[in-house]
Amino acid sequence: MATNNTNQKVIVRFPPSPTGTLHIGNVRTALFNYFFARKNDGQFIVRIEDTDKARSKKEYELGMLEDLTWLGLSYSGELWHQSERTEVYKKYLHKLIDEGKVYISQETDGENKEVARFKNPNKIVTFEDLVRGTISFDTTELKDFIIARNINEPVYHLAVVVDDFESGVTHIMRGEDHISNTPRHILLQEAIGAPQPIYMHLPLILAPDRSKLSKRKHGEQVSLGYYRNKGYLPEAMVNYLSLVGWNPGTDQEIFTLPELISTFDISQIQKGGAIFDEKKLEWINKEHMKRMSITERNKNISERLEKIGINLDDISSKLENPSLTEKLYPLIFDHISKWSDIDEMGRAGELAYYFDSPLYEKDMLVWKDSNPDEAKKHLEKVLEILKNASEENFENPEKTKSLVFDYATENGRGQVLWPLRVALSGKEKSPDPFTLIYILGKDESIVRLKTAIQKL
Ligand code: GLU
C-alpha cells in the first residue's frame, strides 16, 4: 500500500549522473525504487542528471541504460536529460529572483562571475525519513547556498527539485550519502511551492572491512560491469543486491524479480551499512544457474568456452567422441558458480586434458612412497580390465567405477587410483579416475594408460 498521505499514484525516480559506470550501490537504489513502484502500481521513472558538463559522458549514460535493461528493469515515460532542460530551470530561477527568494551575487574568485544564491530562511527543517525516522536540521549552517553558477547553469540542487516536482515524484529513495542535500531540497521545494516528497535514505554498501565501497579504494569492483564481465546472471545480481540492506523477514534467500516485487517492504530496510559479500553473491548465482534449463546452461557454457578458444563440437568431432560435449557440460557445470570460472578452469589447465593427451613427468605417476614398478603393475591390470569391458560399462561414472573399484580396494586405493588418475589427466588434481574414464571413453582411456605404462 502506498505510504504517501494524499493517496495519489506512487511515482519514484532513478536519476543517475552519467559520470562513470553504474555503481552497485546505484543498482540497489534503482531496484528498491523499482520494486516499490511495481508493488504500488506506480511509476518508475529514469532521468539523466548531466548538469556536470565536464564529467558527464554519453557513453556512460548509454552504458547505464543498457545495464538497467540487462537487469530487467524498464522505466515509465520519457527519459529526461537535465542538460536539455535549461529553459525550464531558468523559468524557475527568474520567478525566484522576482519573488526575492534568490539573488544574484557578484563573486570574484579569480574571475568575475554572477552566481545565483538562495536566500536562506535560516530555520529548522524537519522531515520524516521512512528508513531513518525523524530528521531535523538547522539550515543556518548552509548559508545562502548557490543554486546556479550563472543563469544558464543551475546546480544539481535546483535541477533535482524542479524535475521531481514537474514529474510528480511522490517518494525519493536514494543513498544515504544524499541525506545532507535533503534540507536544501526541502527549502527549495518550499520556495517553488512544490509538495514535499516522502524521503527514504538507504544505508551505504560497505566492503567486508566496513569501509565505504568506493571506486578509489576498491576499483572496478564497485561497478555492475565488473560482475557482468565475470559472467554473473542478471537474476543473481538483482536477487543479491536486494538483500544488501533489506531483508524479507523470512529465511527465503532465492528470489525472482516478480517475487521481490511482491515481497519488498520498505519497513524491512535496515538503517546500518550493509556489507557486500561476493561469496554470498556466488552462492546465489549458482542457485539461479541451477534453475536454468539444461539447454540454456549448455549454451552459456559453450559460449564461454568459445571465448577462451575452445570449440567443443569441433573438438569432439575431431576426436571422434561425439558424446564428449554432452558428458563434459554437466561436469563443467558442477565446477563453476559463475561463467568466468570456466576461464579459470581453462587457465588452470583443468580442461585441456579432456581433449589433448596430457604431458607429465613419470614421477607423478608414483603414489607417495610407492615405486614405479608397483604403479606399472596396477596400470597394466586396469588396462586389462578396460580392454575386456564392453562399451556399456562406460555409460556413466558409476559403471566405470564398478569396473575398477574392487581391484583398487583389494590392492590399496591410493596405489591403484593415483597412477590411474594421473595417467588419464596428467594432473595432481582432477576429477576422480572413474569420471575421467567415462568422459574420455574406452578407446582414449586405453591409449593414455598405454602411454603411462611405457613411461614407467
Ligand atoms: N544524480 C544523483 C546521483 O547519481 C542522484 C541523487 C538523487 O537521487 O537525488 O547520485
Side-chain angles (χ1 to χ4, degrees):
M1 209 186 63
T3 20
N4 56 343
N5 26 23
T6 46
N7 259 342
Q8 83 242 58
K9 192 182 179 74
V10 164
I11 301 179
V12 294
R13 54 18 157 223
F14 176 61
S17 303
T19 54
T21 51
L22 194 61
H23 188 290
I24 50 173
N26 277 141
V27 174
R28 202 237 355 225
T29 300
L31 288 171
F32 286 10
N33 277 287
Y34 181 84
F35 301 153
F36 185 66
R38 288 283 176 275
K39 185 158 185 181
N40 291 289
D41 259 332
Q43 282 180 11
F44 170 75
I45 60 180
V46 173
R47 81 172 170 250
I48 303 297
E49 300 206 320
D50 51 358
T51 48
D52 183 341
K53 291 199 187 77
R55 291 173 59 230
S56 298
K57 289 209 174 100
K58 199 73 185 171
E59 67 198 76
Y60 290 137
E61 172 190 327
L62 297 176
M64 288 175 165
L65 295 174
E66 210 279 312
D67 278 342
L68 292 182
T69 307
W70 181 76
L71 291 162
L73 307 190
S74 55
Y75 55 88
S76 321
E78 57 175 316
L79 184 73
W80 284 5
H81 289 79
Q82 291 186 330
S83 59
E84 293 164 5
R85 291 175 47 78
T86 312
E87 290 309 312
V88 178
Y89 309 130
K90 243 161 123 172
K91 199 180 74 193
Y92 283 87
L93 260 179
H94 283 305
K95 185 157 184 279
L96 289 169
I97 294 169
D98 290 348
E99 291 168 355
K101 294 174 180 165
V102 166
Y103 61 92
I104 301 293
S105 126
Q106 304 285 335
E107 317 262 316
T108 44
D109 69 33
E111 50 183 313
N112 268 345
K113 30 178 208 178
E114 290 190 333
V115 301
R117 285 189 179 271
F118 179 72
K119 208 179 277 174
N120 192 333
N122 296 332
K123 61 176 207 172
I124 308 281
V125 159
T126 300
F127 64 99
E128 250 350 280
D129 185 302
L130 290 193
V131 176
R132 310 177 59 92
T134 310
I135 297 178
S136 283
F137 193 94
D138 183 353
T139 68
T140 314
E141 64 186 72
L142 301 174
K143 311 227 172 66
D144 288 353
F145 54 91
I146 296 181
I147 61 165
R149 284 180 210 95
N150 62 59
I151 199 76
N152 290 313
E153 249 188 281
V155 302
Y156 156 74
H157 303 299
L158 178 65
V160 166
V161 168
V162 168
D163 287 352
D164 287 341
F165 175 43
E166 293 215 335
S167 37
V169 167
T170 56
H171 295 76
I172 293 183
M173 215 187 291
R174 61 184 173 191
E176 192 184 278
D177 45 335
H178 285 288
I179 208 160
S180 61
N181 293 328
T182 305
R184 285 184 184 83
H185 297 177
I186 291 175
L187 292 180
L188 287 171
Q189 283 152 8
E190 289 171 354
I192 66 169
Q196 184 180 317
I198 292 168
Y199 283 96
M200 293 170 247
H201 287 94
L202 306 175
L204 295 182
I205 299 187
L206 306 175
D209 65 1
R210 299 203 71 85
S211 65
K212 183 180 161 188
L213 209 55
S214 76
K215 182 135 192 176
R216 204 164 17 89
K217 187 160 174 215
H218 302 98
E220 277 312 303
Q221 289 175 43
V222 304
S223 292
L224 179 70
Y226 173 83
Y227 302 92
R228 280 187 71 170
N229 288 338
K230 275 197 170 186
Y232 282 103
L233 302 178
E235 294 86 342
M237 293 311 295
V238 166
N239 186 161
Y240 177 64
L241 287 172
S242 303
L243 299 176
V244 180
W246 171 76
N247 90 64
T250 62
D251 288 341
Q252 186 176 350
E253 291 190 286
I254 304 303
F255 292 89
T256 61
L257 188 61
E259 284 170 336
L260 285 163
I261 292 168
S262 60
T263 317
F264 188 71
D265 174 359
I266 50 168
S267 70
Q268 302 272 18
I269 298 175
Q270 74 189 48
K271 280 197 192 59
I275 306 238
F276 183 83
D277 173 4
E278 197 177 342
K279 282 274 159 271
K280 184 74 186 269
L281 168 61
E282 276 202 350
W283 178 81
I284 287 182
N285 196 60
K286 185 67 189 258
E287 291 304 307
H288 283 277
M289 284 167 72
K290 290 182 194 158
R291 284 161 174 76
M292 293 173 97
S293 70
I294 305 279
T295 320
E296 194 60 16
R297 268 184 206 179
N298 292 352
K299 183 168 157 271
N300 276 281
I301 295 176
S302 142
E303 283 170 3
R304 199 80 195 190
L305 285 171
E306 287 270 3
K307 270 197 194 154
I308 56 167
I310 299 175
N311 183 318
L312 261 196
D313 289 330
D314 280 2
I315 292 171
S316 12
S317 61
K318 224 179 282 154
L319 293 177
E320 291 175 28
N321 183 356
S323 57
L324 180 68
T325 310
E326 130 205 352
K327 290 175 185 170
L328 215 43
Y329 281 148
L331 178 120
I332 293 177
F333 188 80
D334 280 350
H335 279 78
I336 58 174
S337 52
K338 54 185 181 301
W339 304 125
S340 65
D341 290 345
I342 294 175
D343 312 359
E344 290 302 319
M345 288 182 83
R347 257 195 293 276
E350 288 168 14
L351 291 169
Y353 54 77
Y354 293 111
F355 348 111
D356 298 324
S357 318
L359 295 174
Y360 56 93
E361 294 299 318
K362 162 185 156 182
D363 288 352
M364 206 198 274
L365 287 162
V366 181
W367 168 249
K368 284 185 181 160
D369 45 8
S370 181
N371 57 64
D373 288 341
E374 173 102 24
K376 190 172 178 180
K377 184 180 84 187
H378 295 312
L379 287 181
E380 281 170 341
K381 180 66 198 170
V382 176
L383 177 62
E384 273 316 297
I385 298 176
L386 296 192
K387 273 186 178 166
N388 294 330
S390 66
E391 282 295 339
E392 70 209 32
N393 286 302
F394 293 82
E395 274 168 1
N396 60 48
E398 291 75 49
K399 291 197 176 176
T400 54
K401 183 174 181 179
S402 62
L403 283 176
V404 252
F405 203 63
D406 287 347
Y407 176 77
T409 308
E410 280 156 30
N411 294 275
R413 289 191 194 153
Q415 298 283 5
V416 177
L417 300 179
W418 174 269
L420 176 58
R421 205 178 50 69
V422 172
L424 297 165
S425 70
K427 287 269 165 197
E428 298 264 359
K429 279 193 204 130
S430 72
D432 63 72
F434 321 116
T435 304
L436 294 173
I437 295 172
Y438 154 72
I439 290 177
L440 296 168
K442 177 172 175 174
D443 294 347
E444 181 62 16
S445 300
I446 287 176
V447 169
R448 293 190 184 189
L449 287 193
K450 283 184 176 164
T451 310
I453 292 165
Q454 262 161 27
K455 280 188 199 253
L456 293 160

mmCIF file with all atom_site columns, all heavy atoms in Angstrom, residues 13 15-17 26 49 156 160 172-174 178 185, ligand 1:
data_model
loop_
_atom_site.group_PDB
_atom_site.id
_atom_site.type_symbol
_atom_site.label_atom_id
_atom_site.label_alt_id
_atom_site.label_comp_id
_atom_site.label_asym_id
_atom_site.label_entity_id
_atom_site.label_seq_id
_atom_site.pdbx_PDB_ins_code
_atom_site.Cartn_x
_atom_site.Cartn_y
_atom_site.Cartn_z
_atom_site.occupancy
_atom_site.B_iso_or_equiv
_atom_site.pdbx_formal_charge
_atom_site.auth_seq_id
_atom_site.auth_comp_id
_atom_site.auth_asym_id
_atom_site.auth_atom_id
_atom_site.pdbx_PDB_model_num
ATOM   1   N N   . ARG A 1 13  ? 11.713 7.749  -8.759  1.00 0.00 ? 13  ARG A N   1
ATOM   2   C CA  . ARG A 1 13  ? 12.641 8.030  -9.850  1.00 0.00 ? 13  ARG A CA  1
ATOM   3   C C   . ARG A 1 13  ? 14.016 7.478  -9.548  1.00 0.00 ? 13  ARG A C   1
ATOM   4   O O   . ARG A 1 13  ? 14.416 7.305  -8.390  1.00 0.00 ? 13  ARG A O   1
ATOM   5   C CB  . ARG A 1 13  ? 12.669 9.511  -10.164 1.00 0.00 ? 13  ARG A CB  1
ATOM   6   C CG  . ARG A 1 13  ? 12.938 10.579 -9.137  1.00 0.00 ? 13  ARG A CG  1
ATOM   7   C CD  . ARG A 1 13  ? 13.532 10.344 -7.880  1.00 0.00 ? 13  ARG A CD  1
ATOM   8   N NE  . ARG A 1 13  ? 14.151 11.551 -7.360  1.00 0.00 ? 13  ARG A NE  1
ATOM   9   C CZ  . ARG A 1 13  ? 15.342 11.573 -6.776  1.00 0.00 ? 13  ARG A CZ  1
ATOM   10  N NH1 . ARG A 1 13  ? 16.022 10.472 -6.581  1.00 0.00 ? 13  ARG A NH1 1
ATOM   11  N NH2 . ARG A 1 13  ? 15.849 12.705 -6.322  1.00 0.00 ? 13  ARG A NH2 1
ATOM   12  N N   . PRO A 1 15  ? 17.664 8.696  -10.818 1.00 0.00 ? 15  PRO A N   1
ATOM   13  C CA  . PRO A 1 15  ? 18.318 9.735  -11.619 1.00 0.00 ? 15  PRO A CA  1
ATOM   14  C C   . PRO A 1 15  ? 19.846 9.658  -11.602 1.00 0.00 ? 15  PRO A C   1
ATOM   15  O O   . PRO A 1 15  ? 20.502 10.454 -10.941 1.00 0.00 ? 15  PRO A O   1
ATOM   16  C CB  . PRO A 1 15  ? 17.844 11.009 -10.905 1.00 0.00 ? 15  PRO A CB  1
ATOM   17  C CG  . PRO A 1 15  ? 17.726 10.591 -9.451  1.00 0.00 ? 15  PRO A CG  1
ATOM   18  C CD  . PRO A 1 15  ? 17.622 9.098  -9.389  1.00 0.00 ? 15  PRO A CD  1
ATOM   19  N N   . PRO A 1 16  ? 20.431 8.727  -12.325 1.00 0.00 ? 16  PRO A N   1
ATOM   20  C CA  . PRO A 1 16  ? 21.898 8.627  -12.257 1.00 0.00 ? 16  PRO A CA  1
ATOM   21  C C   . PRO A 1 16  ? 22.610 9.800  -12.943 1.00 0.00 ? 16  PRO A C   1
ATOM   22  O O   . PRO A 1 16  ? 22.071 10.397 -13.881 1.00 0.00 ? 16  PRO A O   1
ATOM   23  C CB  . PRO A 1 16  ? 22.189 7.324  -13.014 1.00 0.00 ? 16  PRO A CB  1
ATOM   24  C CG  . PRO A 1 16  ? 21.062 7.166  -13.969 1.00 0.00 ? 16  PRO A CG  1
ATOM   25  C CD  . PRO A 1 16  ? 19.863 7.740  -13.268 1.00 0.00 ? 16  PRO A CD  1
ATOM   26  N N   . SER A 1 17  ? 23.777 10.102 -12.456 1.00 0.00 ? 17  SER A N   1
ATOM   27  C CA  . SER A 1 17  ? 24.659 11.074 -13.117 1.00 0.00 ? 17  SER A CA  1
ATOM   28  C C   . SER A 1 17  ? 25.619 10.266 -13.985 1.00 0.00 ? 17  SER A C   1
ATOM   29  O O   . SER A 1 17  ? 26.326 9.408  -13.466 1.00 0.00 ? 17  SER A O   1
ATOM   30  C CB  . SER A 1 17  ? 25.470 11.851 -12.075 1.00 0.00 ? 17  SER A CB  1
ATOM   31  O OG  . SER A 1 17  ? 24.582 12.478 -11.173 1.00 0.00 ? 17  SER A OG  1
ATOM   32  N N   . ASN A 1 26  ? 24.160 2.166  -6.744  1.00 0.00 ? 26  ASN A N   1
ATOM   33  C CA  . ASN A 1 26  ? 23.101 2.752  -7.575  1.00 0.00 ? 26  ASN A CA  1
ATOM   34  C C   . ASN A 1 26  ? 22.147 1.675  -8.071  1.00 0.00 ? 26  ASN A C   1
ATOM   35  O O   . ASN A 1 26  ? 20.956 1.911  -8.189  1.00 0.00 ? 26  ASN A O   1
ATOM   36  C CB  . ASN A 1 26  ? 23.704 3.469  -8.792  1.00 0.00 ? 26  ASN A CB  1
ATOM   37  C CG  . ASN A 1 26  ? 24.158 4.864  -8.448  1.00 0.00 ? 26  ASN A CG  1
ATOM   38  O OD1 . ASN A 1 26  ? 25.193 5.306  -8.917  1.00 0.00 ? 26  ASN A OD1 1
ATOM   39  N ND2 . ASN A 1 26  ? 23.398 5.549  -7.633  1.00 0.00 ? 26  ASN A ND2 1
ATOM   40  N N   . GLU A 1 49  ? 20.966 12.911 -14.973 1.00 0.00 ? 49  GLU A N   1
ATOM   41  C CA  . GLU A 1 49  ? 21.407 14.148 -14.321 1.00 0.00 ? 49  GLU A CA  1
ATOM   42  C C   . GLU A 1 49  ? 22.793 14.543 -14.829 1.00 0.00 ? 49  GLU A C   1
ATOM   43  O O   . GLU A 1 49  ? 23.814 14.266 -14.191 1.00 0.00 ? 49  GLU A O   1
ATOM   44  C CB  . GLU A 1 49  ? 21.369 13.964 -12.797 1.00 0.00 ? 49  GLU A CB  1
ATOM   45  C CG  . GLU A 1 49  ? 19.935 13.625 -12.360 1.00 0.00 ? 49  GLU A CG  1
ATOM   46  C CD  . GLU A 1 49  ? 19.576 13.991 -10.938 1.00 0.00 ? 49  GLU A CD  1
ATOM   47  O OE1 . GLU A 1 49  ? 20.431 13.806 -10.039 1.00 0.00 ? 49  GLU A OE1 1
ATOM   48  O OE2 . GLU A 1 49  ? 18.448 14.448 -10.711 1.00 0.00 ? 49  GLU A OE2 1
ATOM   49  N N   . TYR A 1 156 ? 22.951 21.052 -9.350  1.00 0.00 ? 156 TYR A N   1
ATOM   50  C CA  . TYR A 1 156 ? 22.174 19.849 -9.088  1.00 0.00 ? 156 TYR A CA  1
ATOM   51  C C   . TYR A 1 156 ? 20.953 20.096 -8.195  1.00 0.00 ? 156 TYR A C   1
ATOM   52  O O   . TYR A 1 156 ? 19.844 19.649 -8.508  1.00 0.00 ? 156 TYR A O   1
ATOM   53  C CB  . TYR A 1 156 ? 23.145 18.813 -8.493  1.00 0.00 ? 156 TYR A CB  1
ATOM   54  C CG  . TYR A 1 156 ? 22.510 17.741 -7.656  1.00 0.00 ? 156 TYR A CG  1
ATOM   55  C CD1 . TYR A 1 156 ? 21.787 16.718 -8.268  1.00 0.00 ? 156 TYR A CD1 1
ATOM   56  C CD2 . TYR A 1 156 ? 22.629 17.754 -6.267  1.00 0.00 ? 156 TYR A CD2 1
ATOM   57  C CE1 . TYR A 1 156 ? 21.188 15.727 -7.500  1.00 0.00 ? 156 TYR A CE1 1
ATOM   58  C CE2 . TYR A 1 156 ? 22.039 16.775 -5.494  1.00 0.00 ? 156 TYR A CE2 1
ATOM   59  C CZ  . TYR A 1 156 ? 21.315 15.760 -6.117  1.00 0.00 ? 156 TYR A CZ  1
ATOM   60  O OH  . TYR A 1 156 ? 20.721 14.799 -5.360  1.00 0.00 ? 156 TYR A OH  1
ATOM   61  N N   . VAL A 1 160 ? 17.239 19.034 -9.491  1.00 0.00 ? 160 VAL A N   1
ATOM   62  C CA  . VAL A 1 160 ? 16.564 17.890 -8.867  1.00 0.00 ? 160 VAL A CA  1
ATOM   63  C C   . VAL A 1 160 ? 15.174 18.281 -8.365  1.00 0.00 ? 160 VAL A C   1
ATOM   64  O O   . VAL A 1 160 ? 14.189 17.590 -8.616  1.00 0.00 ? 160 VAL A O   1
ATOM   65  C CB  . VAL A 1 160 ? 17.379 17.375 -7.653  1.00 0.00 ? 160 VAL A CB  1
ATOM   66  C CG1 . VAL A 1 160 ? 16.558 16.429 -6.802  1.00 0.00 ? 160 VAL A CG1 1
ATOM   67  C CG2 . VAL A 1 160 ? 18.634 16.709 -8.104  1.00 0.00 ? 160 VAL A CG2 1
ATOM   68  N N   . ILE A 1 172 ? 11.111 9.679  -2.602  1.00 0.00 ? 172 ILE A N   1
ATOM   69  C CA  . ILE A 1 172 ? 12.513 9.729  -3.020  1.00 0.00 ? 172 ILE A CA  1
ATOM   70  C C   . ILE A 1 172 ? 13.300 8.741  -2.178  1.00 0.00 ? 172 ILE A C   1
ATOM   71  O O   . ILE A 1 172 ? 13.422 8.893  -0.962  1.00 0.00 ? 172 ILE A O   1
ATOM   72  C CB  . ILE A 1 172 ? 13.078 11.164 -2.868  1.00 0.00 ? 172 ILE A CB  1
ATOM   73  C CG1 . ILE A 1 172 ? 12.368 12.084 -3.875  1.00 0.00 ? 172 ILE A CG1 1
ATOM   74  C CG2 . ILE A 1 172 ? 14.596 11.165 -3.054  1.00 0.00 ? 172 ILE A CG2 1
ATOM   75  C CD1 . ILE A 1 172 ? 12.858 13.515 -3.891  1.00 0.00 ? 172 ILE A CD1 1
ATOM   76  N N   . MET A 1 173 ? 13.760 7.732  -2.870  1.00 0.00 ? 173 MET A N   1
ATOM   77  C CA  . MET A 1 173 ? 14.560 6.713  -2.180  1.00 0.00 ? 173 MET A CA  1
ATOM   78  C C   . MET A 1 173 ? 15.944 6.799  -2.792  1.00 0.00 ? 173 MET A C   1
ATOM   79  O O   . MET A 1 173 ? 16.115 6.602  -3.991  1.00 0.00 ? 173 MET A O   1
ATOM   80  C CB  . MET A 1 173 ? 13.944 5.344  -2.502  1.00 0.00 ? 173 MET A CB  1
ATOM   81  C CG  . MET A 1 173 ? 14.013 4.361  -1.385  1.00 0.00 ? 173 MET A CG  1
ATOM   82  S SD  . MET A 1 173 ? 13.457 2.726  -1.897  1.00 0.00 ? 173 MET A SD  1
ATOM   83  C CE  . MET A 1 173 ? 11.734 2.941  -2.170  1.00 0.00 ? 173 MET A CE  1
ATOM   84  N N   . ARG A 1 174 ? 16.923 7.165  -2.005  1.00 0.00 ? 174 ARG A N   1
ATOM   85  C CA  . ARG A 1 174 ? 18.259 7.338  -2.553  1.00 0.00 ? 174 ARG A CA  1
ATOM   86  C C   . ARG A 1 174 ? 19.292 7.031  -1.483  1.00 0.00 ? 174 ARG A C   1
ATOM   87  O O   . ARG A 1 174 ? 18.957 6.821  -0.314  1.00 0.00 ? 174 ARG A O   1
ATOM   88  C CB  . ARG A 1 174 ? 18.437 8.758  -3.089  1.00 0.00 ? 174 ARG A CB  1
ATOM   89  C CG  . ARG A 1 174 ? 18.270 9.826  -2.032  1.00 0.00 ? 174 ARG A CG  1
ATOM   90  C CD  . ARG A 1 174 ? 18.369 11.205 -2.649  1.00 0.00 ? 174 ARG A CD  1
ATOM   91  N NE  . ARG A 1 174 ? 18.062 12.261 -1.695  1.00 0.00 ? 174 ARG A NE  1
ATOM   92  C CZ  . ARG A 1 174 ? 17.874 13.528 -2.050  1.00 0.00 ? 174 ARG A CZ  1
ATOM   93  N NH1 . ARG A 1 174 ? 17.986 13.895 -3.309  1.00 0.00 ? 174 ARG A NH1 1
ATOM   94  N NH2 . ARG A 1 174 ? 17.599 14.430 -1.134  1.00 0.00 ? 174 ARG A NH2 1
ATOM   95  N N   . HIS A 1 178 ? 23.209 11.173 0.237   1.00 0.00 ? 178 HIS A N   1
ATOM   96  C CA  . HIS A 1 178 ? 22.477 12.374 -0.179  1.00 0.00 ? 178 HIS A CA  1
ATOM   97  C C   . HIS A 1 178 ? 21.706 13.023 0.966   1.00 0.00 ? 178 HIS A C   1
ATOM   98  O O   . HIS A 1 178 ? 21.022 14.028 0.756   1.00 0.00 ? 178 HIS A O   1
ATOM   99  C CB  . HIS A 1 178 ? 21.505 12.037 -1.307  1.00 0.00 ? 178 HIS A CB  1
ATOM   100 C CG  . HIS A 1 178 ? 22.211 11.839 -2.614  1.00 0.00 ? 178 HIS A CG  1
ATOM   101 N ND1 . HIS A 1 178 ? 22.762 12.885 -3.316  1.00 0.00 ? 178 HIS A ND1 1
ATOM   102 C CD2 . HIS A 1 178 ? 22.496 10.729 -3.324  1.00 0.00 ? 178 HIS A CD2 1
ATOM   103 C CE1 . HIS A 1 178 ? 23.333 12.421 -4.407  1.00 0.00 ? 178 HIS A CE1 1
ATOM   104 N NE2 . HIS A 1 178 ? 23.193 11.116 -4.445  1.00 0.00 ? 178 HIS A NE2 1
ATOM   105 N N   . HIS A 1 185 ? 17.041 20.731 -0.418  1.00 0.00 ? 185 HIS A N   1
ATOM   106 C CA  . HIS A 1 185 ? 15.953 20.420 -1.354  1.00 0.00 ? 185 HIS A CA  1
ATOM   107 C C   . HIS A 1 185 ? 14.599 20.810 -0.760  1.00 0.00 ? 185 HIS A C   1
ATOM   108 O O   . HIS A 1 185 ? 13.732 21.327 -1.463  1.00 0.00 ? 185 HIS A O   1
ATOM   109 C CB  . HIS A 1 185 ? 15.994 18.935 -1.741  1.00 0.00 ? 185 HIS A CB  1
ATOM   110 C CG  . HIS A 1 185 ? 17.257 18.566 -2.463  1.00 0.00 ? 185 HIS A CG  1
ATOM   111 N ND1 . HIS A 1 185 ? 17.551 17.291 -2.866  1.00 0.00 ? 185 HIS A ND1 1
ATOM   112 C CD2 . HIS A 1 185 ? 18.323 19.332 -2.845  1.00 0.00 ? 185 HIS A CD2 1
ATOM   113 C CE1 . HIS A 1 185 ? 18.734 17.283 -3.480  1.00 0.00 ? 185 HIS A CE1 1
ATOM   114 N NE2 . HIS A 1 185 ? 19.220 18.513 -3.456  1.00 0.00 ? 185 HIS A NE2 1
HETATM 115 N N1  . GLU B 2 .   ? 22.279 12.136 -9.559  1.00 0.00 ? 1   GLU B N1  1
HETATM 116 C C1  . GLU B 2 .   ? 22.362 11.731 -8.197  1.00 0.00 ? 1   GLU B C1  1
HETATM 117 C C2  . GLU B 2 .   ? 23.296 10.556 -8.063  1.00 0.00 ? 1   GLU B C2  1
HETATM 118 O O1  . GLU B 2 .   ? 23.569 9.888  -9.056  1.00 0.00 ? 1   GLU B O1  1
HETATM 119 C C3  . GLU B 2 .   ? 21.009 11.327 -7.705  1.00 0.00 ? 1   GLU B C3  1
HETATM 120 C C4  . GLU B 2 .   ? 20.636 11.974 -6.459  1.00 0.00 ? 1   GLU B C4  1
HETATM 121 C C5  . GLU B 2 .   ? 19.200 11.783 -6.061  1.00 0.00 ? 1   GLU B C5  1
HETATM 122 O O2  . GLU B 2 .   ? 18.706 10.639 -6.093  1.00 0.00 ? 1   GLU B O2  1
HETATM 123 O O3  . GLU B 2 .   ? 18.574 12.783 -5.744  1.00 0.00 ? 1   GLU B O3  1
HETATM 124 O O4  . GLU B 2 .   ? 23.808 10.295 -7.019  1.00 0.00 ? 1   GLU B O4  1
#
